[in-house]
Amino acid sequence: FPFGTFFAPPGTLLRWRLSLVNGKWGRDSELLKYFPFGTFFANILACVISASVAATMYIIDRDSNANSVNTTRTAILMFLLKGLKSGFAGNLSTVSTFAKEIVLLSEKRTVGPAYFYAFVTVFSCCLMSLAFYLPISGDYS
C-alpha cells in the first residue's frame, strides 16, 4: 500500500510555507541578497528526514534479520517509514524547485550566487545526512 500518498501533502504544504521566507533574509549582503533560504531549509530538512529514516530502516532490517523475526508489525513499520521518506521528504525537497532556484539566481546578474547556492545546498545536505545517519545507524565501518 502506498503510504507515501498520505505523507506527500504535508511535505508539499511545508515546502510552500518555507518558500515564503525566500527573499526576506540577507537583504543587506550582496552574496545572500537573493539566496532562497526557505528552499534551502526545505532541502536540508528533507535530507535530514531521509537520512534518519534510512538509518532507522537499516537498524530494523538488521535486527529482524539477526533475530530471524519478520513480523507483520515490522513490515507495516517499514512501509510507513518508506512512505515518510518518499512522500513527506520527497515532496519537501524536489529537484525541480532546486534547479529552478539555480536558474533564477543565474539570471539575476551573474552566475556567482547560483554556484554559491548550489554548492552550499549540496554540501550542507551531504554533511547533515552523514551527521544524522551515522549516529542513528551506529554503522561507522
Side-chain angles (χ1 to χ4, degrees):
F1 188 78
F3 287 109
T5 57
F6 293 121
F7 296 111
T12 303
L13 289 173
L14 180 57
R15 179 173 198 78
W16 171 72
R17 294 291 295 171
L18 287 170
S19 73
L20 299 176
V21 175
N22 290 346
K24 294 184 179 177
W25 291 352
R27 292 181 185 175
D28 297 335
S29 170
E30 192 60 37
L31 186 60
L32 300 178
K33 184 190 266 185
Y34 302 109
F35 194 90
F37 282 101
T39 304
F40 175 75
F41 292 139
N43 290 335
I44 296 296
L45 181 60
C47 286
V48 166
I49 291 169
S50 291
S52 300
V53 168
T56 304
M57 290 172 65
Y58 170 75
I59 291 169
I60 292 169
D61 189 48
R62 180 190 65 201
D63 292 349
S64 66
N65 286 338
N67 298 330
S68 299
V69 177
N70 205 355
T71 63
T72 304
R73 190 175 126 208
T74 303
I76 291 172
L77 180 60
M78 292 293 271
F79 279 124
L80 284 170
L81 288 171
K82 286 178 187 176
L84 180 65
K85 185 178 173 190
S86 64
F88 184 78
N91 280 325
L92 184 58
S93 178
T94 59
V95 174
S96 61
T97 304
F98 178 62
K100 181 190 83 147
E101 297 288 355
I102 293 171
V103 169
L104 289 175
L105 282 171
S106 67
E107 291 174 346
K108 295 285 183 193
R109 268 196 258 156
T110 63
V111 294
Y115 284 126
F116 176 74
Y117 170 64
F119 175 77
V120 167
T121 300
V122 171
F123 181 76
S124 299
C125 285
C126 290
L127 193 65
M128 293 300 289
S129 294
L130 283 173
F132 277 79
Y133 182 86
L134 292 176
I136 293 171
S137 70
D139 188 13
Y140 298 105
S141 57

